[in-house]
Amino acid sequence: MATISPSNSFIMVDKPSKRHPSKDLHYRPGSSSTSYAHDWSSAGTGGGVRLQGRYFVDGYGRICNLRGVNLSGSCKTPVNHTNEDWPEDPKIVTFVGRPFPLSEAHEHLSRLRRWGLTFIRFLVTWEAVEHEGPGIYDQAYLDYLRELLSMLPKYGISAFISMHQDVWSRYTGGSGAPAWTVEAAGFDLDNLEETGAAWLGGMRGGGHTEMERGLWPTGYHKLAASTMNTVFWAGDTFAPKLKAKGDVPIQQFLQNAFLNMWEVVARAVGDLEGVIGFQMMNEPHRGYIDLKSMYSFDYNTELHLSHIPSTFQSFQLGAGYPTLIPTWTRSFPMPTKQTTHTLLNEGKKKAWKEDGPTKGQCLWEMHGVWGWCKTKKQAVVLRENYFVKHPISGEKIEWYTDYYYPFMKKWAERVLKASTPDKILFVEAIPNEFCPTSWTEERRIPNMVYAPHWYDLYSLFNKKFGEFSVNVQGLSRGMFPLRAFYWGHKGARDNFSRQIRTLAEEAYKSLGEIPMLIGECGIPMDMNQGEAFVTEDFIWQKRMMDAMITGLDRALVGFNLWNYNPDNTDEEGDQWNGENFSWFSQRRAMPNFLLEYEQTSPHLDGGGRILDSVVRPYPAKVAGIPLEFNYEMMNGEMSFSWMIPEGGGDNGDNQLRTHETEIFFPSLLASGRKVLLEAQIDMSHYDYNDESEILKKLQVLTKEKYTYTYDEKRQTLYVVPKDNSPGTKHSIRVKVWPPIRPVFNLNDFWSDFGIWVGAVGVVIVALLVAVIIGVMTVWMGYD
């Protein structure tokens, strides 16, 4: 089984604050406190979670495997958003109650605790904080945030605040920034759709039909979002003539507003125990920076679907010129193909406000990037390489090194000063890109965690999952096609494992000993034409989720699933751009007055769709270095190995302050069954004829190596090895009895087609033998 190689070093810089009672000779596992494996509160971790090398560690020096959810996709839109009335007055929106009202918090937080998903990526948007105007902050929303986040430690939950955005803003087809930022750049919000500057159908409830499915990401390279990202990161370089109110350069205006907003958020919640850190921006995008061609986009990196104007064509459309645009449709074997052209902006609308800072002129025409030839009555590109080199100095531009890293350092300084200097800061690269090699030590920020996203692009684009899966990540980087194709569930597990392992390995190559966590990963619940909502058979969703989490387990990386959304419905999904990723729906849950809230309460499972794939065991707090982990949902069995770190303290002893490892083992799996732990030992050299004798011997050997106890009320398996010498490797197998019934068939190419391949092989061999015999007969006859 493939795994990520563990770090060779585990020497604590700051000694853990406490000595755990499990260091005592007569300690009974699980007796030290009332905490549990998935409890990330200060009490449950011996003082909190911090960073050490590539690991998260608790106050006892244990390595922590953090996993949880994104909370929540509903945070992208205000509570008072309606599809029919959009766009509403942007100044009067409210996000108080996102992701759920305070009165419902006990139910949802209890549910996440029961499911062991207690490390939260908590979504906030710039619009939620500052929608009314620059410097006008929504105090009611900030108060709501503080009250909700202050509840988290009671449930063992810890969270980091992620400032979410997609395609810049709701007003450019996504989520994130307030409307006034778009207007500050000169855009007319009423004309963005007709001019092809943005696709806004998803804001009005669209995105569910075959024609609209998956269109929203194309907004990244349309005029509005591309321009906003460009002027935010590099307005001083590429748009120096654009000034906001008060004659402030647009880059300075937007960045200062963003940093000021972040400081307000950090001051509001940064002192709370349940807030472990911050993430500057979800899925950042470079806009036009580094743009190689004005005439086309790279098919391998940019989604080509429906109307895809080139950058040059976007300029023309936004300036009011009707333009014939390539139109792309889904195809096979290539994802899409150009099928026709469509004339857009026949009404000759302008994307730019006449009374705005550009006076109705295209910003990029104003900067001499292109112009309109009155003689030929056509547009012409004047500076083809404008976004590749500095317009004045001619020096080559690189988005990461020239803009992203420097701004991130400014942000880190502001939020750490506004909160506490020990907050963990989560960062990511551009989606679908590997961690850049330019992210060298001097360009990093304090307390940094790399938190990229991973989705299976083949299934995501097609909203389909079946026996056949494809490694799009590998194909886009030159992998031989036959190596990128997989069959069956074993194949899907191997496919996803390879992709996630590659993502992790590339990150460690670039960053070295920096912790990594997958900030987003998930599956579309409406896959396969949404047939599961009709049949109530979510088998393919279960299979895909299992394949994905198996890949994450094998890579030994924590993650935040996208997403837990109480507002999700079968019909409308997550109610944003046609997405439907939440495997929980409040509409399917029991009324809260009927619920019980203990960790063992199955009532909390109502509303969950594929829980046998989502809720699964994992080693949460490891007294050593994790080496390999795997869970098999076909039988409810997990295997785990870890190593006691080599000496790094006084007298050659390691600086772990505990011998106890805590494994989250869900009541959902254990209820009504017995949880058994076995040492993983090679029994082949023991001379036993009876299998029962082998099992008895294994039990004896297990007791010689480990003491353990399972507490279902805390959903925790406590394990204490008897040999904790530095360098000792431990391997255990945990299973339930009676075993669970397999959910689906664990198949691959050979199990499905092996007999046919074998039959064809026999026929071929028989034909070859017949030919050889015939040839020999003829030859002997002549002889």
Side-chain angles (χ1 to χ4, degrees):
M1 182 186 305
T3 59
I4 300 296
S5 299
S7 170
N8 293 324
S9 172
F10 190 68
I11 299 175
M12 307 297 293
V13 176
D14 300 312
K15 288 188 176 182
S17 56
K18 295 183 178 181
R19 184 181 186 276
H20 194 274
S22 63
K23 284 273 189 173
D24 297 334
L25 183 62
H26 301 293
Y27 173 75
R28 189 164 43 87
S31 63
S32 64
S33 70
T34 59
S35 71
Y36 38 93
H38 47 301
D39 180 359
W40 305 117
S41 68
S42 180
T45 56
V49 175
R50 65 187 187 285
L51 307 181
Q52 177 57 49
R54 67 167 62 175
Y55 302 114
F56 297 91
V57 298
D58 71 1
Y60 301 111
R62 293 179 294 192
I63 292 177
C64 302
N65 180 3
L66 306 176
R67 57 175 68 184
V69 299
N70 280 266
L71 191 67
S72 157
S74 65
C75 295
K76 296 182 179 186
T77 55
V79 172
N80 54 346
H81 169 93
T82 60
N83 297 332
E84 297 76 20
D85 297 332
W86 191 87
E88 65 281 303
D89 182 350
K91 294 183 179 181
I92 63 171
V93 300
T94 178
F95 288 75
V96 175
R98 294 295 195 210
F100 41 69
L102 293 173
S103 60
E104 298 176 6
H106 179 46
E107 172 189 347
H108 295 297
L109 299 179
S110 297
R111 181 175 288 117
L112 292 173
R113 177 181 60 183
R114 168 168 165 80
W115 293 346
L117 301 172
T118 47
F119 185 72
I120 302 302
R121 185 175 184 247
F122 192 93
L123 274 56
V124 172
T125 65
W126 187 356
E127 181 187 15
V129 180
E130 199 178 4
H131 50 83
E132 192 170 346
I136 306 173
Y137 305 109
D138 190 333
Q139 191 58 48
Y141 176 70
L142 294 170
D143 292 342
Y144 161 79
L145 276 187
R146 182 172 180 85
E147 188 169 353
L148 177 58
L149 294 171
S150 67
M151 299 178 184
L152 300 186
K154 177 183 175 182
Y155 303 88
I157 295 175
S158 188
F160 67 99
I161 307 300
S162 174
M163 197 60 62
H164 208 83
Q165 74 83 36
D166 309 274
V167 200
W168 184 259
S169 169
R170 282 198 305 139
Y171 300 90
T172 54
S175 66
W180 54 261
T181 64
V182 184
E183 294 178 314
F187 283 113
D188 186 336
L189 297 182
D190 295 328
N191 289 342
L192 294 184
E193 191 163 33
E194 190 168 348
T195 58
W199 183 72
L200 303 177
M203 298 297 102
R204 292 188 291 270
H208 296 280
T209 66
E210 186 64 23
M211 291 293 293
E212 295 182 341
R213 174 167 58 87
L215 282 184
W216 74 262
T218 64
Y220 273 112
H221 45 266
K222 295 188 188 299
L223 177 65
S226 287
T227 295
M228 292 308 304
N229 278 294
T230 303
V231 299
F232 178 85
W233 298 111
D236 291 348
T237 302
F238 297 113
K241 296 179 182 180
L242 181 59
K243 309 289 184 181
K245 290 182 179 179
D247 205 35
V248 179
I250 188 64
Q251 177 183 332
Q252 180 180 329
F253 173 76
L254 292 173
Q255 289 191 354
N256 285 348
F258 183 79
L259 292 173
N260 291 340
M261 175 274 303
W262 247 118
E263 184 172 333
V264 167
V265 172
R267 290 189 185 281
V269 301
D271 64 323
L272 297 177
E273 178 192 337
V275 177
I276 197 173
F278 307 109
Q279 181 179 31
M280 183 179 78
M281 182 183 293
N282 173 73
E283 296 187 351
H285 199 275
R286 58 171 64 91
Y288 291 133
I289 304 168
D290 292 335
L291 182 71
K292 300 299 186 291
S293 173
M294 295 279 186
Y295 299 101
S296 64
F297 294 105
D298 186 345
Y299 184 85
N300 290 322
T301 58
E302 303 292 344
L303 175 61
H304 287 58
L305 187 60
S306 189
H307 309 315
I308 303 295
S310 67
T311 300
F312 181 36
Q313 289 171 329
S314 292
F315 294 164
Q316 298 172 60
L317 288 168
Y321 299 108
T323 307
L324 202 61
I325 302 301
T327 301
W328 297 70
T329 56
R330 297 175 189 271
S331 65
F332 186 84
M334 301 301 290
T336 61
K337 65 178 179 180
Q338 183 182 329
T339 53
T340 185
H341 286 77
T342 306
L343 185 65
L344 298 186
N345 198 12
E346 294 183 74
K348 300 182 180 181
K349 298 282 188 179
K350 285 188 176 183
W352 307 94
K353 293 185 69 170
E354 296 292 340
D355 59 350
T358 69
K359 305 302 180 185
Q361 185 182 20
C362 171
L363 174 64
W364 307 115
E365 185 179 14
M366 189 169 79
H367 284 84
V369 180
W370 72 286
W372 184 261
C373 179
K374 295 181 179 179
T375 304
K376 295 182 178 181
K377 295 183 179 181
Q378 67 181 38
V380 291
V381 173
L382 302 176
R383 303 183 72 176
E384 165 69 13
N385 297 318
Y386 185 76
F387 297 106
V388 177
K389 299 179 181 179
H390 194 290
I392 305 299
S393 68
E395 295 181 0
K396 192 176 185 323
I397 291 296
E398 208 281 323
W399 177 75
Y400 282 111
T401 56
D402 295 329
Y403 305 108
Y404 188 51
Y405 302 149
F407 181 71
M408 186 180 292
K409 286 196 169 187
K410 291 181 181 179
W411 167 78
E413 183 179 353
R414 290 282 290 272
V415 296
L416 291 178
K417 186 176 180 181
S419 55
T420 58
D422 60 344
K423 290 298 181 193
I424 298 173
L425 304 182
F426 297 79
V427 299
E428 60 181 297
I430 292 175
N432 304 322
E433 293 187 3
F434 288 153
C435 183
T437 57
S438 60
W439 215 329
T440 50
E441 187 172 357
E442 68 275 9
R443 292 173 173 145
R444 298 172 197 158
I445 57 178
N447 313 332
M448 175 172 149
V449 170
Y450 183 57
H453 299 174
W454 182 86
Y455 294 93
D456 178 57
L457 298 180
Y458 180 78
S459 302
L460 193 65
F461 175 75
N462 293 297
K463 276 200 176 180
K464 292 181 180 179
F465 185 74
E467 298 290 5
F468 178 67
S469 62
V470 180
N471 182 348
V472 174
Q473 178 197 84
L475 282 176
S476 66
R477 291 167 172 83
M479 177 181 287
F480 181 64
L482 289 181
R483 295 186 63 193
F485 300 152
Y486 296 81
W487 183 267
H489 193 62
K490 288 183 180 178
R493 285 179 173 178
D494 291 342
N495 178 10
F496 294 178
S497 295
R498 181 167 186 168
Q499 292 187 52
I500 295 167
R501 183 177 70 248
T502 300
L503 183 67
E505 288 175 345
E506 292 298 322
Y508 291 134
K509 284 180 187 177
S510 297
L511 299 174
E513 298 299 295
I514 294 290
M516 175 179 167
L517 175 137
I518 303 295
E520 279 187 26
C521 55
I523 69 165
M525 291 299 297
D526 56 346
M527 64 173 68
N528 302 340
Q529 291 79 50
E531 63 183 23
F533 299 134
V534 178
T535 64
E536 291 296 317
D537 183 3
F538 289 89
I539 189 66
W540 291 109
Q541 287 84 347
K542 291 180 180 182
R543 289 180 62 160
M544 186 174 178
M545 181 66 81
D546 172 69
M548 183 185 73
I549 299 183
T550 295
L552 293 161
D553 287 344
R554 291 177 181 179
L556 298 174
V557 293
F559 56 87
N560 297 106
L561 295 175
W562 185 271
N563 77 103
Y564 179 93
N565 185 352
D567 292 334
N568 177 281
T569 67
D570 294 354
E571 300 79 17
E572 300 298 328
D574 292 324
Q575 304 189 43
W576 180 86
N577 269 320
E579 285 199 344
N580 194 337
F581 281 82
S582 179
W583 29 265
F584 171 77
S585 173
Q586 186 68 51
R587 183 178 291 186
R588 288 170 167 259
M590 292 177 61
N592 56 15
F593 65 85
L594 295 176
L595 295 177
E596 297 175 356
Y597 297 97
E598 293 78 14
Q599 293 199 47
T600 53
S601 172
H603 297 163
L604 291 169
D605 297 336
R609 296 179 175 119
I610 53 173
L611 297 185
D612 38 8
S613 289
V614 173
V615 183
R616 45 209 286 152
Y618 64 92
K621 300 165 185 169
V622 181
I625 302 173
L627 300 177
E628 188 173 313
F629 171 61
N630 188 56
Y631 170 65
E632 180 51 73
M633 67 173 289
M634 294 298 98
N635 56 17
E637 182 174 307
M638 63 160 278
S639 59
F640 177 54
S641 62
W642 72 101
M643 183 180 70
I644 308 301
E646 297 289 350
D650 298 335
N651 303 318
D653 188 18
N654 64 66
Q655 295 185 17
L656 279 170
R657 291 298 183 264
T658 180
H659 295 323
E660 187 170 66
T661 288
E662 298 181 12
I663 297 171
F664 171 73
F665 205 92
S667 172
L668 185 70
L669 183 62
S671 181
R673 297 182 175 93
K674 188 174 183 179
V675 177
L676 304 173
L677 182 146
E678 296 175 350
Q680 290 199 81
I681 300 172
D682 182 8
M683 301 294 291
S684 61
H685 59 279
Y686 289 95
D687 188 17
Y688 292 108
N689 296 321
D690 189 348
E691 184 176 347
S692 63
E693 293 182 358
I694 295 177
L695 291 176
K696 289 179 181 178
K697 181 62 177 179
L698 181 58
Q699 291 173 2
V700 170
L701 294 173
T702 298
K703 289 181 180 180
E704 289 176 356
K705 286 178 171 288
Y706 305 102
T707 58
Y708 71 95
T709 188
Y710 175 66
D711 186 341
E712 186 178 348
K713 291 183 178 179
R714 291 188 275 175
Q715 300 192 100
T716 301
L717 176 64
Y718 300 90
V719 182
V720 179
K722 293 184 178 180
D723 183 357
N724 289 281
S725 306
T728 302
K729 178 182 176 181
H730 292 285
S731 296
I732 60 173
R733 180 186 299 109
V734 183
K735 56 186 180 181
V736 292
W737 186 263
I740 65 173
R741 183 177 300 175
V743 182
F744 45 77
N745 183 32
L746 190 59
N747 66 320
D748 62 7
F749 178 85
W750 294 108
S751 66
D752 287 356
F753 302 107
I755 188 171
W756 299 105
V757 172
V760 171
V762 169
V763 171
I764 292 174
V765 170
L767 289 173
L768 288 174
V769 170
V771 170
I772 292 171
I773 291 174
V775 170
M776 292 294 292
T777 300
V778 172
W779 179 78
M780 291 176 68
Y782 277 108
D783 189 51

